[in-house]
């Protein structure tokens, strides 16, 4: 049976208050009573629930129902359940509240009349339980203690290498060595000012501690503590106001109250993330109860919020909010899901579709090694995009040539030659389309680099110009091999368009700086490419009319949709049939010309396919390396739908897309679409092929 989601922090607090409510010294509000009742009923419906928890849930129902059991009976039920926790080996279910209950019971019994029936036996049982627990804690403490260190000592010992294999960590930390917070952090007053934490600006005067292996802290971590946990995970049975840097997973049973939690390669699970707190998990996912104006929350996987997320800066691959998402700035790669999304008043809710997330998103400056890797990734992405488009366009050229051959074999008179000029039209459109794709890919490189500073932008401009020049050389080689009979228009227009693109790209490279508006250059290039397309519009209309004319005779599959392999099989079959009838003499020269043209197109397509495969392998290698180190998170499948889904939307929601700029740096580059009206039904906004659509 799957348990419904509950506010774990509230349940824990309610269980601690339960005895006081039973005795009449405290009360539950209506909402608290309802949630606690639902919790008890859900737990009792679980067939695998152990007997101790079953009695506890029954006791909760008794208190909420106001049953006629007297206070002593209720107290005895809670006391009996608590004592049984101390009888389990390892004391796995014992917490500070259980210890407090037994100690308070001893104090009350000491103040009461001695000699009451069964009192001596009960005192013996409770005393024995507390003594066994104390001996257990002593053994655990002796197995490993907190080591007070300086930040410089930690940096000297810290191994910065992270394990290979980027993955999304979801497992909670192991329990490991357990310490009481007051005993672990001790009375030490040795402090120092730490200016940097994991590459982020920190500037706090703190006491630094280090522990090796899995660690559990019973109690709160104060705001003057900086704790490093190496080669292990961390569990905090309390609140976090200080700062923790942990190699593996982190579990905080209370809230993060102005503290920092950083997991290098694990997952993070916390209660509420409150104002000015930072929770960062580059390689894992984050689960929390709620977010209230957090300083920053970043994870490389899923950010799951059980209740509301209000204010703050969030960044993740996926964001899932069980309640309302209000007035937050969210950078995400793929999806956002919430019950309601709004930006009331002047506190807008800003949602930014991103191509990748970087350490700059959570405040760590980008190092030169990362910038070099990012430039290499941009170049590989450029090659993937251009070569993939070239393959698609050359398939269209091959279809056009094979279609012309099938048509030539179908006519019986020499006065009906194959439409070579229409093949020329298909070819010139293919290379102009490729130039437009190269333009978009080049401007995408510049836009992605613009947010990283002038040096990164100039580096991207140099790299982009190199890639454009290489693509132009390949295109010119292919055009030069086209016979004049099949490529007159292509040779007149396509090389000039590509040359113009190179000239503008070179001017951009020579005068590039981060303050220039990238969008203006793109619009200029796009306009020039459209002018070249306009020169072949009349030819394109003739091609469309010709296809309509021959469709009844050749069939719609040949004219419109059949892949080159099927058309080639059809052509070879028609050719064999025509040769058998001796009907190929009149058009033999044209057929040979078309056949050689199809072979050249197929060879060109194979060249681009090889380039595409090499670029994809290079892109995957670079991205994998950057993700394994926790440095970045990429959108791997850009073609799939990316969406924002909610049961309702309010005013003040802004969508940003077409940019990689971190939102905390101000208004991002790219396009913005705003919702200035209420949507009272379930709605989905999805980004498809660069356009935002409402479904």
């Amino acid at each position: 049976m799957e348990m419904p989601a509950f506010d774990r922090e509230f349940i824990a607090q309610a269980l601690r208050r339960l005895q006081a409510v039973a005795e009449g010294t405290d009360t539950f509000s209506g909402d608290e009573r309802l949630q606690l009742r639902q919790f008890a009923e859900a737990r009792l419906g679980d067939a695998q629930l152990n007997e101790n928890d079953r009695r506890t849930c029954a006791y909760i129902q008794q208190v909420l129902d106001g049953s006629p059991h007297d206070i002593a009976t209720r107290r005895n039920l809670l006391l009996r359940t608590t004592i049984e926790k101390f009888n389990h080996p390892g004391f796995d279910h014992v917490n500070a509240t259980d210890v407090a209950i037994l100690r308070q019971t001893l104090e009350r019994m000491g103040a009461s009349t001695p000699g009451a029936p069964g009192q001596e036996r009960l005192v013996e049982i409770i005393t024995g339980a507390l003594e066994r627990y104390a001996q257990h804690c002593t053994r655990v403490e002796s197995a490993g203690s907190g080591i007070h260190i300086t930040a410089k000592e930690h940096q000297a010992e810290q191994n910065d290498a992270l394990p290979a294999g980027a993955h999304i960590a979801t497992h909670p930390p192991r329990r490991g060595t357990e310490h009481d917070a007051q005993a672990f952090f001790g009375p030490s007053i040795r402090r120092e000012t730490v200016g940097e934490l994991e590459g982020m600006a920190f500037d706090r005067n703190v006491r630094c501690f280090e522990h090796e292996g899995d660690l559990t802290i019973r109690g709160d971590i104060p705001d003057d503590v900086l704790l490093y946990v190496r080669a292990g995970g961390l569990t905090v049975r309390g609140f976090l106001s200080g700062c923790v840097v942990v190699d593996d997973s982190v579990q905080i049973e209370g809230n993060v109250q102005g503290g920092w939690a950083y997991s290098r390669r694990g997952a993070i699970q916390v209660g509420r993330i409150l104002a000015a707190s930072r929770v960062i998990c580059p390689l894992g996912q984050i689960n929390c109860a709620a977010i209230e104006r957090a300083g920053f929350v970043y994870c490389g996987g899923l950010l799951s919020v059980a209740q509301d997320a209000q204010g703050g800066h969030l960044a993740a691959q996926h964001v899932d909010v069980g309640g309302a998402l209000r007035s937050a700035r969210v950078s995400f790669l793929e999806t956002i899901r919430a019950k309601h999304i709004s930006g009331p008043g002047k506190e807008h809710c800003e949602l930014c579709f991103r191509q990748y997330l970087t350490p700059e998103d959570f405040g760590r400056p980008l190092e030169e090694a990362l910038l070099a890797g990012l430039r290499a990734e941009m170049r590989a992405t450029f090659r993937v995009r251009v070569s993939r488009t070239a393959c698609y366009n050359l398939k269209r050229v091959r279809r056009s040539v094979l279609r012309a051959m099938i048509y030539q074999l179908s006519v019986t008179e020499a006065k009906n030659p194959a439409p070579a000029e229409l093949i020329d039209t298909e070819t010139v459109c293919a290379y102009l389309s490729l130039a437009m794709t190269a333009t978009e890919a080049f401007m995408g490189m510049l836009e992605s680099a613009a947010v990283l500073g002038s040096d990164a932008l100039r580096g991207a401009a140099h790299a982009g110009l190199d890639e454009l020049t290489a693509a132009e050389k390949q295109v010119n080689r292919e055009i030069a091999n086209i016979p004049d009979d099949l490529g007159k228009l292509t040779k007149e227009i396509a090389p000039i368009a590509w040359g113009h693109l190179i000239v503008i790209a070179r001017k951009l490279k020579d005068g590039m700086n981060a303050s220039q508006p990238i969008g203006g250059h793109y619009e200029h290039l796009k306009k020039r490419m459209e002018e070249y397309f306009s020169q072949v519009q009349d030819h394109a209309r003739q091609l469309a009319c010709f296809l309509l004319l021959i469709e009844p005779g050749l069939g719609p599959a040949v004219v419109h949709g059949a892949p080159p392999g099927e058309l080639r099989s059809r052509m070879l079959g028609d050719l064999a049939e025509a040769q058998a009838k001796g009907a190929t003499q009149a058009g033999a020269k044209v057929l040979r010309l078309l056949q050689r043209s199809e072979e050249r197109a197929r060879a060109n397509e194979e060249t681009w396919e090889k380039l595409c495969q090499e670029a994809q392998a290079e892109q995957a290698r670079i991205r994998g390396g950057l993700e394994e180190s926790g440095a970045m998170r990429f959108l791997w499948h850009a073609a799939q739908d990316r969406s924002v889904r909610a049961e309702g939307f309010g005013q003040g929601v802004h969508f940003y897309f077409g940019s990689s700029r971190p939102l905390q740096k101000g208004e991002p580059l790219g396009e913005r679409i705003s919702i200035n009206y209420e949507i009272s039904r379930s709605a989905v906004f999805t980004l498809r092929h660069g356009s935002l659509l409402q479904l």
Side-chain angles (χ1 to χ4, degrees):
M1 176 180 178
E2 184 177 354
M3 293 295 298
F6 292 103
D7 184 343
R8 298 182 178 180
E9 181 198 351
F10 161 72
I11 297 298
Q13 293 177 349
L15 292 176
R16 288 194 289 269
R17 293 167 51 197
L18 204 61
Q19 185 174 357
V21 173
E23 295 176 349
T25 59
D26 197 356
T27 59
F28 286 134
S29 67
D31 291 340
E32 290 175 334
R33 294 176 68 88
L34 177 61
Q35 186 170 355
L36 198 56
R37 187 183 299 279
Q38 291 174 344
F39 168 79
E41 291 174 354
R43 295 283 290 171
L44 287 171
D46 185 357
Q48 299 180 352
L49 189 67
N50 61 54
E51 190 61 26
N52 291 339
D53 289 344
R54 188 174 299 279
R55 283 198 291 267
T56 300
C57 291
Y59 175 62
I60 291 173
Q61 290 183 325
Q62 291 175 8
V63 174
L64 296 177
D65 293 340
S67 64
H69 291 75
D70 57 22
I71 293 175
T73 301
R74 294 176 178 174
R75 184 184 300 160
N76 289 341
L77 179 60
L78 179 61
L79 182 60
R80 187 163 56 249
T81 302
T82 303
I83 292 174
E84 288 179 357
K85 293 182 180 181
F86 285 80
N87 293 330
H88 286 277
F91 299 92
D92 291 335
H93 304 289
V94 175
N95 54 39
T97 302
D98 299 322
V99 176
I101 290 174
L102 294 192
R103 288 175 177 170
Q104 291 172 7
T105 302
L106 282 180
E107 291 175 1
R108 291 195 187 100
M109 294 175 69
S112 63
T113 304
Q119 180 168 305
E120 293 181 0
R121 175 58 180 161
L122 185 56
V123 169
E124 181 181 346
I125 292 173
I126 295 176
T127 302
L130 290 174
E131 288 178 352
R132 291 194 304 274
Y133 183 67
Q135 293 173 359
H136 168 75
C137 292
T138 300
R139 289 194 299 270
V140 171
E141 296 288 348
S142 62
S145 58
I147 304 174
H148 189 279
I149 63 166
T150 66
K152 293 181 180 179
E153 289 170 345
H154 172 76
Q155 293 298 331
E157 296 177 3
Q158 180 62 38
N159 180 10
D160 292 330
L162 289 173
H167 67 287
I168 301 302
T170 59
H171 58 278
R174 297 177 293 274
R175 177 166 178 165
T177 306
E178 186 168 342
H179 298 273
D180 179 78
Q182 293 183 352
F184 186 84
F185 300 118
S188 173
I189 59 174
R190 183 182 176 186
R191 296 173 177 271
E192 62 177 304
T193 299
V194 179
E196 183 179 283
L197 184 66
E198 294 295 306
M200 300 173 285
F202 188 63
D203 195 23
R204 287 195 186 187
N205 189 263
V206 293
R207 296 178 294 150
C208 296
F209 297 84
E210 182 172 301
H211 180 89
E212 186 166 355
D214 297 312
L215 173 65
T216 296
I217 296 293
R218 299 189 307 273
D220 304 336
I221 297 182
D223 58 5
D224 66 341
V225 165
L226 171 56
L227 171 63
Y228 297 96
V229 179
R230 299 175 58 185
L234 173 67
T235 298
V236 180
R237 293 181 173 172
F239 297 96
L240 175 64
S241 298
C243 305
V244 296
V245 178
V246 184
D247 278 354
D248 293 333
S249 296
V250 179
Q251 181 175 2
I252 301 170
E253 297 181 359
N255 299 332
V256 182
Q257 302 177 156
W260 290 36
Y262 187 102
S263 171
R264 291 193 178 98
R265 53 175 176 253
I268 296 180
Q269 180 174 326
V270 301
R272 286 180 168 84
I273 304 175
L274 305 179
S277 301
R278 289 200 175 199
V279 179
I280 301 168
C281 186
L283 288 176
Q285 72 177 42
I286 295 177
N287 295 290
C288 65
I291 297 175
E292 300 174 16
R293 302 189 181 280
F296 207 92
V297 180
Y298 176 98
C299 72
L302 169 67
L303 170 58
S304 177
V305 186
Q307 300 171 10
D308 295 345
Q310 179 171 356
H313 296 228
L314 318 177
Q317 184 174 5
H318 300 275
V319 179
D320 191 346
V321 181
L325 175 62
R326 293 191 295 267
S327 305
R329 286 181 158 188
V330 186
S331 296
F332 68 104
L333 295 180
E334 296 191 31
T335 61
I336 294 179
R337 186 176 64 179
K339 190 171 185 180
H340 191 270
I341 301 177
S342 64
K346 296 182 179 180
E347 298 182 340
H348 299 147
C349 189
E350 299 179 335
L351 312 177
C352 184
F353 292 89
R354 296 277 296 279
Q355 295 296 320
Y356 55 79
L357 302 175
T358 75
E360 193 178 35
D361 284 299
F362 56 82
R364 178 192 293 169
L366 299 180
E367 300 175 352
E368 179 55 36
L370 178 57
L371 289 174
L374 190 54
R375 284 194 295 269
E377 190 278 336
M378 290 178 182
R379 297 185 69 153
T381 300
F382 178 97
R383 291 197 296 271
V384 168
R385 187 171 179 181
V386 171
S387 58
R388 188 177 288 161
T389 301
C391 290
Y392 175 79
N393 290 348
L394 286 169
K395 278 186 173 65
R396 294 190 59 179
V397 172
R398 285 184 60 203
R399 280 201 299 267
S400 179
V401 175
L402 290 167
R403 186 171 55 219
M405 295 181 71
I406 294 172
Y407 169 76
Q408 181 69 26
L409 290 168
S410 68
V411 298
T412 57
E413 299 181 9
K415 65 180 181 179
N416 292 324
E421 67 276 8
L422 301 182
I423 297 175
D424 192 10
T425 300
E426 191 83 68
T427 305
V428 70
C429 287
Y431 286 116
L432 289 179
S433 172
L434 185 59
M436 180 66 78
T437 298
T439 300
E440 294 173 351
F442 175 65
M443 300 310 297
M445 288 180 66
L446 299 185
E447 183 180 274
S448 297
V451 300
L452 307 177
S454 296
D455 291 341
L457 184 57
R458 282 190 288 270
H462 277 275
L465 180 59
D466 291 343
E467 295 297 332
L468 281 174
T469 303
E472 182 204 24
K473 289 180 179 179
Q474 176 64 24
V475 168
N476 287 339
R477 280 195 298 268
E478 294 174 6
I479 293 176
N481 291 327
I482 299 175
D484 292 340
D485 294 344
L486 296 178
K488 181 180 179 181
L489 191 65
T490 301
K491 292 186 174 184
E492 287 179 358
I493 297 177
I496 297 176
W498 273 88
H500 188 81
L501 172 58
I502 297 297
V503 169
I504 295 180
R506 187 172 287 112
K507 289 181 179 179
L508 281 174
K509 185 260 301 181
D510 293 338
M512 184 61 65
N513 62 72
S515 63
Q516 288 183 311
I518 304 298
H521 295 296
Y522 171 65
E523 291 302 324
H524 174 67
L525 276 172
K526 184 178 179 181
K527 184 178 180 180
R528 293 307 302 266
M529 290 299 116
E530 289 173 350
E531 290 175 359
Y532 290 116
F533 270 112
S534 67
Q535 297 180 30
V536 299
Q537 282 183 352
D538 291 341
H539 299 276
R541 281 192 290 268
Q542 293 177 19
L543 174 61
C545 293
F546 177 75
L547 294 179
L548 289 174
L549 182 65
I550 65 174
E551 181 176 345
L554 300 184
V558 171
V559 173
H560 298 295
E566 292 184 14
L567 290 178
R568 184 174 177 80
S569 298
R570 164 75 180 271
M571 181 273 296
L572 292 175
D574 291 353
L575 179 62
E577 183 178 347
Q579 289 174 340
K581 295 179 180 180
T584 60
Q585 297 300 320
K589 181 179 179 181
V590 175
L591 283 174
R592 285 195 297 270
L593 182 67
L594 292 175
Q595 189 170 6
R596 286 195 296 270
S597 179
E598 191 272 336
E599 291 172 353
R600 279 192 299 270
R602 183 170 51 176
N604 292 336
E605 181 185 344
E606 291 174 353
T607 299
W608 284 106
E609 283 181 350
K610 183 179 179 181
L611 292 174
C612 185
Q613 292 171 358
E614 292 174 351
Q616 286 177 325
E618 179 71 3
Q619 182 192 55
R621 184 189 65 79
I622 296 170
R623 287 184 172 186
L626 291 172
E627 288 195 346
E628 285 169 8
S629 66
M632 297 188 68
R633 182 66 67 183
F634 290 91
L635 177 68
W636 285 82
H637 307 289
Q640 71 181 31
D641 290 347
R642 306 162 65 194
S643 62
V644 177
R645 181 186 304 269
E647 296 178 14
F649 287 83
Q651 297 183 4
V653 179
H654 298 327
F655 294 93
Y656 296 91
F657 52 96
S659 170
S660 295
R661 184 170 193 161
L663 277 170
Q664 73 267 29
K665 298 193 109 180
E667 187 169 294
L669 299 172
E671 300 182 53
R672 187 184 88 175
I673 294 179
S674 301
I675 299 179
N676 296 315
Y677 53 89
E678 297 280 342
I679 302 178
S680 57
R681 58 177 177 80
S682 179
V684 179
F685 289 86
T686 183
L687 188 64
R688 293 181 181 174
H689 308 295
S691 299
L692 188 69
L693 307 175
Q694 180 182 348
L695 304 182

